Amino acid sequence: MILEKVINKIEIQSEYKDFVDTYIDNLLTEFKGKIHSIYMCGSIPKGTATPFKSDADFTIVCEDPKEFDYERLSKIKDKLLQEYPILTKIDTVICSMEDVLSKPNEWGFWVKVICVCVYGHDVGEQISPIRISPEFILDLNTDTKEEVDHIHRLLSTASDHTMQVRYIKGYSKRLLRALYSLVLEDTGVWEDDMVTMKNVILDHCEIDPTLVDDLYACYLDSNVSVEEFLEIADEAYRYFENALRVMAASRASLD
């Protein structure tokens, strides 16, 4: 099966159009000549964003991410968050053209399937159709352990309650996405609606349903204690890691 694009048509709501245009203009002015293309994913380009609850997710593709001054990027985001309080946060990922083209099952998947191009030439068009397979799922999760370990450390050491809530929400979402990736061969599509994602995991994964429900509850309401959340998250990740290990062993036996 071929993975279809999550967002086929950009439908940015009127409340967000000025922000999107302003942010892109700021990026192009501040990093003139360094940006190849800009992408969005999530609720804003889908037209399903909720004011004061939704965040903005951007991806910048460039020749060399090291050329970007991340402090200057943070200042732009902080300024616009004050000007557009309907946003909860602005996330911006930066990757290279080489990353997208040389890692089709990782960065290529992100740009081609998850994101939609809002500026420049869509490099995702250069990526061959992505077929769902155990190899793809394993490649897709190449960096999952590193990402989970990173956010685990951040959450474990965060003393500010606001940051704890943010990390718990992001951590639970990342784990749910990882669990969902395990069942792609059953679904045939990448789902980015969290309710649907949770229900599909329950239908197809041999995992304790209470664990999935608890993880989703933490995503919805991140005011749970750090200790309680980490207990849930660690158990969910152990299931995911074991399932991935079994998948890798099965693939190796066929080689």
Side-chain angles (χ1 to χ4, degrees), residues 78-92:
D78 290 343
K79 176 175 177 289
L80 291 186
L81 282 173
Q82 292 181 352
E83 294 179 10
Y84 299 92
I86 60 171
L87 295 162
T88 57
K89 63 174 179 172
I90 304 169
D91 285 332
T92 305

Side-chain angles (χ1 to χ4, degrees), residues 169-183 190-191 194-195 197-199 201 205 211-220 236 240:
K169 187 177 182 67
Y171 197 172
S172 54
K173 183 177 182 179
R174 184 67 186 87
L175 287 172
L176 287 166
R177 289 182 60 177
L179 290 171
Y180 182 81
S181 72
L182 297 174
V183 301
W190 182 265
E191 180 59 63
M194 297 305 293
V195 179
M197 188 178 288
K198 184 257 296 185
N199 290 334
I201 293 169
C205 275
L211 184 61
V212 178
D213 286 333
D214 287 347
L215 195 60
Y216 180 70
C218 291
Y219 166 75
L220 290 181
F240 164 78

Side-chain angles (χ1 to χ4, degrees), residues 13-246:
Q13 295 143 277
S14 58
E15 300 99 311
Y16 296 92
K17 284 183 178 179
D18 186 61
F19 156 71
V20 172
D21 291 340
T22 301
Y23 188 49
I24 292 174
D25 288 344
N26 273 251
L27 291 175
L28 296 176
T29 299
E30 190 70 32
F31 303 106
K32 188 174 182 179
K34 296 179 180 179
I35 294 176
H36 171 272
S37 45
I38 301 174
Y39 305 78
M40 290 193 75
C41 64
S43 60
I44 291 180
K46 288 177 67 177
T48 59
T50 303
F52 306 103
K53 290 186 177 181
S54 297
D55 53 15
D57 295 294
F58 290 86
T59 296
I60 295 172
V61 174
C62 61
E63 288 297 329
D64 185 3
K66 293 179 181 178
E67 293 183 348
F68 280 76
D69 185 327
Y70 287 83
E71 185 176 343
R72 286 158 62 191
L73 179 61
S74 292
K75 288 181 178 178
I76 294 174
K77 293 193 287 186
D78 290 343
K79 176 175 177 289
L80 291 186
L81 282 173
Q82 292 181 352
E83 294 179 10
Y84 299 92
I86 60 171
L87 295 162
T88 57
K89 63 174 179 172
I90 304 169
D91 285 332
T92 305
V93 177
I94 303 176
C95 66
S96 69
M97 285 279 289
E98 182 181 358
D99 285 334
V100 177
L101 297 175
S102 66
K103 301 176 181 178
N105 288 346
E106 299 167 55
W107 281 109
F109 158 78
W110 179 256
V111 170
K112 184 178 183 67
V113 176
I114 303 296
C115 296
V116 61
C117 187
V118 292
Y119 168 80
H121 178 69
D122 187 356
V123 69
E125 295 178 353
Q126 300 180 46
I127 304 297
S128 299
I130 297 175
R131 293 187 177 277
I132 302 172
S133 65
E135 180 182 12
F136 164 70
I137 296 170
L138 290 167
D139 285 349
L140 183 62
N141 286 292
T142 298
D143 297 327
T144 299
K145 185 180 189 314
E146 181 180 346
E147 294 170 6
V148 166
D149 287 347
H150 176 65
I151 195 169
H152 191 291
R153 287 192 299 272
L154 291 174
L155 179 57
S156 298
T157 58
S159 56
D160 180 74
H161 178 68
T162 300
M163 294 307 297
Q164 289 176 349
V165 168
R166 178 176 294 183
Y167 289 145
I168 288 173
K169 187 177 182 67
Y171 197 172
S172 54
K173 183 177 182 179
R174 184 67 186 87
L175 287 172
L176 287 166
R177 289 182 60 177
L179 290 171
Y180 182 81
S181 72
L182 297 174
V183 301
L184 276 175
E185 287 190 290
D186 297 308
T187 65
V189 297
W190 182 265
E191 180 59 63
D192 66 349
D193 177 78
M194 297 305 293
V195 179
T196 305
M197 188 178 288
K198 184 257 296 185
N199 290 334
V200 171
I201 293 169
L202 290 172
D203 287 341
H204 294 281
C205 275
E206 295 180 1
I207 187 174
D208 181 354
T210 302
L211 184 61
V212 178
D213 286 333
D214 287 347
L215 195 60
Y216 180 70
C218 291
Y219 166 75
L220 290 181
D221 182 4
S222 307
N223 281 300
V224 63
S225 72
V226 171
E227 293 75 16
E228 182 181 351
F229 171 73
L230 286 178
E231 186 176 338
I232 296 168
D234 289 348
E235 187 176 348
Y237 184 74
R238 282 194 295 272
Y239 171 88
F240 164 78
E241 192 172 44
N242 183 64
L244 212 63
R245 191 181 299 114
V246 170

